Amino acid sequence: MKDMMYNSLHNRWLRLLAAIAGEGIIALAMNLFIVPLNLYSGGLMGLCQLIRTLLQAKLGLTFGNADIAGILYFISNLPILFLAYKTLGKAMTVKTIICTVSFSLFYSIIPIPQTPIVEDYLTACMLGGIIVGVASGIVLTCGGSGGGLDIVGLCLSKRGSRFTVGKFSLTFNFFLYAACLVLFVPEVAIYSVIYNFFTSMVLDRMHQQNVNVQAMIFTKEDEKVLGRFIIEKLGRSVTYWEGTGAYSGKGLHVLVVCLSKFEIEELLHAVYEMDPHAFTTVQERVRVYGNFVRKLE
C-alpha cells in the first residue's frame, strides 16, 4: 500500500490530475461558502473579485449567473505567466498554465447559490478556509500552482529581491483589505481577513515544500551511488564522511543532506532500495541559511 501511494504521488500524470482536481475543489469551496456572503479572497483573485464588484456597482454591468472574476483572473495571469516562463522555466510555467485555466474555468461555471448555504459568517470562513487551504496544499504538493501573486513573489525572490513570497503576498493583501474596509462595511473586510487567515494556516500545514528537513544516512554500502542519486534526481547537494560504529568497531559512511519534507519520501525509498540495512535520522523544521534552493515542484 505504501509503495502504491509513493508511486502515485510521484507519477507525473497522476500528480497533474490531482492538481486539477484540487483547483476544482478550491473553486467549489469559494463559490459555495465565500462568494455568496460577498467576501473576498486574498491575492490576485481578491483583486479580481473587487474589480468585478466595482464594475457591477459603479457601472451597472451584469454578467448573468457567471462570475466575471474568474475570467479577469485568467487575463491578469497572462503577463505573470510570461514572467514565470522567463524566470522559472518551461516545466513550471506549463503546470501553472494548466492549473490557472482549470481554476478559472471551474470558478466561472460552478453556480453560486442565490442564498448562502452557511449564513453564519465565521462558520463559512472557517469551512471555506479549511477546504481551500487543504486543496491548495494538494495543488502545491503535486507541483502545480494556481498562478497569481505566489508566482510574482517567487520570481522576485529568484531575482534576488528582498521580497519573499510571503512578504509580497502579505503587503499586497494589506492594501487589498484596506480598500475593502474603505469601500464596504467593516464586516466584509474583517471576515475576509479571517477567511484568508484560515486558508493560510491550513495551507502552511499542507504545503510540505515549505518544511525543511535534515537527513543523516548511515550505510555500509557505496556512499557515492546514493550521493549521485541525491544530486541527479533530487537536485540537492550532499556531504559525507567516514564513521566508526562504537559497538561493532566497523567503518560506515555517513551522508548528510538538507531538503524539503516533500522530497524525503523519495530519499527514504531510494535508501531502502540501495541498502535495506541502512538507517536514517530525519530532523524536521531545521533553519537553513545561505545557498539553499526552495522549490515549488
Side-chain angles (χ1 to χ4, degrees):
M1 176 65 71
K2 184 176 181 180
D3 287 340
M4 184 176 67
M5 292 179 62
Y6 169 85
N7 293 329
S8 298
L9 186 61
H10 290 84
N11 181 283
R12 180 177 59 180
W13 297 110
L14 290 178
R15 290 177 67 191
L16 181 59
L17 288 175
I20 294 174
E23 295 292 355
I25 296 172
I26 294 171
L28 180 66
M30 290 178 61
N31 282 358
L32 291 183
F33 299 109
I34 305 304
V35 177
L37 294 175
N38 297 315
L39 300 181
Y40 295 86
S41 178
L44 187 61
M45 186 62 205
L47 177 61
C48 293
Q49 291 174 322
L50 182 61
I51 293 174
R52 172 255 289 151
T53 301
L54 294 177
L55 289 175
Q56 292 175 333
K58 303 299 182 181
L59 300 180
L61 299 178
T62 58
F63 309 99
N65 293 327
D67 193 339
I68 195 67
I71 299 174
L72 293 174
Y73 182 74
F74 174 74
I75 295 174
S76 60
N77 263 288
L78 293 178
I80 295 176
L81 294 173
F82 177 77
L83 178 66
Y85 180 78
K86 291 289 187 179
T87 306
L88 303 180
K90 180 179 179 180
M92 184 64 194
T93 304
V94 170
K95 291 180 182 178
T96 303
I97 291 174
I98 293 174
C99 290
T100 302
V101 171
S102 299
F103 173 77
S104 301
L105 179 62
F106 287 133
Y107 186 86
S108 299
I109 65 174
I110 293 176
I112 300 171
Q114 295 296 325
T115 57
I117 295 177
V118 179
E119 295 184 355
D120 181 72
Y121 277 77
L122 185 59
T123 303
C125 290
M126 183 175 65
L127 287 175
I130 291 174
I131 295 173
V132 170
V134 170
S136 299
I138 293 173
V139 172
L140 291 174
T141 300
C142 291
S145 170
L149 298 186
D150 287 347
I151 298 298
V152 177
L154 189 61
C155 289
L156 291 175
S157 179
K158 287 274 187 179
R159 294 185 175 187
S161 172
R162 296 178 61 184
F163 264 109
T164 62
V165 177
K167 288 180 180 178
F168 183 78
S169 179
L170 184 64
T171 303
F172 186 93
N173 285 335
F174 172 80
F175 288 103
L176 174 66
Y177 290 130
C180 291
L181 187 62
V182 172
L183 294 172
F184 312 115
V185 295
E187 288 78 7
V188 170
I190 293 172
Y191 283 110
S192 295
V193 170
I194 292 174
Y195 158 70
N196 195 53
F197 170 77
F198 277 114
T199 301
S200 301
M201 182 178 63
V202 175
L203 174 58
D204 185 60
R205 296 287 183 179
M206 287 289 297
H207 188 198
Q208 295 183 335
Q209 284 94 327
N210 280 336
V211 181
N212 299 323
V213 302
Q214 180 189 72
M216 296 186 67
I217 306 158
F218 302 84
T219 177
K220 295 180 181 179
E221 300 297 329
D222 187 359
E223 78 283 5
K224 294 183 176 62
V225 175
L226 184 56
R228 283 197 301 271
F229 170 83
I230 294 172
I231 294 172
E232 295 174 3
K233 299 297 184 181
L234 299 181
R236 300 294 186 183
S237 185
V238 60
T239 302
Y240 49 79
W241 61 82
E242 302 299 320
T244 303
Y247 180 78
S248 65
K250 296 181 179 180
L252 74 162
H253 309 292
V254 183
L255 297 87
V256 180
V257 58
C258 288
L259 63 170
S260 72
K261 188 175 180 181
F262 175 69
E263 296 166 316
I264 193 64
E265 287 296 329
E266 191 168 0
L267 175 64
L268 295 176
H269 189 82
V271 170
Y272 181 79
E273 289 291 326
M274 296 177 186
D275 182 9
H277 300 290
F279 74 93
T280 305
T281 63
V282 178
Q283 181 180 356
E284 293 188 7
R285 297 192 177 276
V286 295
R287 293 188 177 184
V288 183
Y289 301 94
N291 185 23
F292 180 72
V293 179
R294 301 182 185 279
K295 304 177 181 178
L296 278 181
E297 55 177 346

